[in-house]
């Protein structure tokens, strides 16, 4: 009877061990997968400026398409002006740039249409035909 109890204990242990064994094998698989993926020690945590993007994004970003784009001439010209580095990189400079270019651009836009209006209506506007006072008669 002791042998039967021992056999039942071994069978119950084997039956209970099976899920545990699969969990361990799964964790072994997960552990090996995690070991294969290299952690980057970038000096910063998630969301910090030093944190890297995933590897596929960095590979995709590395393709700069330099010289392949139809608008490459425009990008080269824009980058040579250094407008982005000077005005658009920091928020206060960006907002100041937007405000001042809007003011100056709005003034130039208005003056352009004033000149077009004057050109189209040449001779029809009041300021083009000033009133000429008659020469006063000398009664002396």
């Amino acid at each position: 009877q002791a042998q039967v109890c021992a056999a039942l204990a071994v069978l119950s242990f084997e039956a209970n061990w099976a899920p545990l064994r699969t969990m361990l094998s799964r964790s072994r698989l997960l552990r090996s997968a995690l070991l294969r993926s290299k952690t980057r020690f970038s000096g910063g945590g998630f969301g910090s400026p030093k944190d890297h993007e995933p590897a596929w994004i960095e590979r995709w970003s590395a393709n700069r398409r330099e010289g392949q784009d139809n608008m490459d001439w425009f990008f080269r010209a824009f980058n040579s002006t250094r407008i982005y580095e000077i005005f658009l990189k920091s928020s206060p400079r960006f907002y100041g740039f937007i405000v001042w270019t809007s003011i100056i651009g709005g003034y130039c836009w208005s003056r352009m249409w004033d000149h077009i209006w004057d050109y189209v209506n040449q001779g029809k506007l009041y300021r083009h035909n000033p009133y000429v006072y008659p020469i006063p008669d000398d009664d002396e």
Side-chain angles (χ1 to χ4, degrees):
Q1 204 175 33
Q3 290 176 343
V4 173
C5 285
L8 284 176
V10 167
L11 285 177
S12 67
F13 178 75
E14 286 292 324
N16 290 334
W17 176 252
L20 186 61
R21 192 175 341 147
T22 56
M23 277 196 315
L24 288 175
S25 66
R26 284 183 187 162
S27 70
R28 213 175 295 128
L29 288 173
L30 290 174
R31 204 173 7 188
S32 67
L34 288 174
L35 288 175
R36 273 185 271 142
S37 68
K38 297 176 184 171
T39 57
R40 295 187 202 127
F41 298 105
S42 58
F46 175 74
S48 75
K50 293 182 178 181
D51 188 30
H52 288 278
E53 299 289 343
W56 69 271
I57 292 179
E58 288 187 354
R59 282 193 308 272
W60 181 58
S61 297
N63 181 12
R64 306 238 185 257
R65 294 188 45 83
E66 190 171 343
Q68 301 173 14
D69 210 305
N70 289 338
M71 296 292 289
D72 189 55
W73 62 271
F74 172 75
F75 299 136
R76 286 181 187 274
F78 181 78
N79 291 339
S80 69
T81 62
R82 299 187 50 100
I83 289 174
Y84 177 77
E85 286 83 6
I86 297 170
F87 297 110
L88 306 178
K89 209 169 191 178
S90 77
S91 293
R93 285 185 187 173
F94 171 76
Y95 293 125
F97 178 76
I98 294 298
V99 167
W100 285 106
T101 52
S102 299
I103 290 170
I104 294 167
Y107 175 78
C108 294
W109 183 259
S110 175
R111 294 297 296 160
M112 178 192 72
W113 285 109
D114 288 344
H115 286 292
I116 291 172
W117 180 262
D118 283 350
Y119 178 76
V120 169
N121 295 303
Q122 189 67 37
K124 300 176 187 173
L125 300 176
Y126 180 76
R127 70 172 170 259
H128 296 162
N129 300 306
Y131 179 74
V132 178
Y133 292 97
I135 300 173
D137 291 333
D138 287 336
D139 290 336
E140 295 175 15

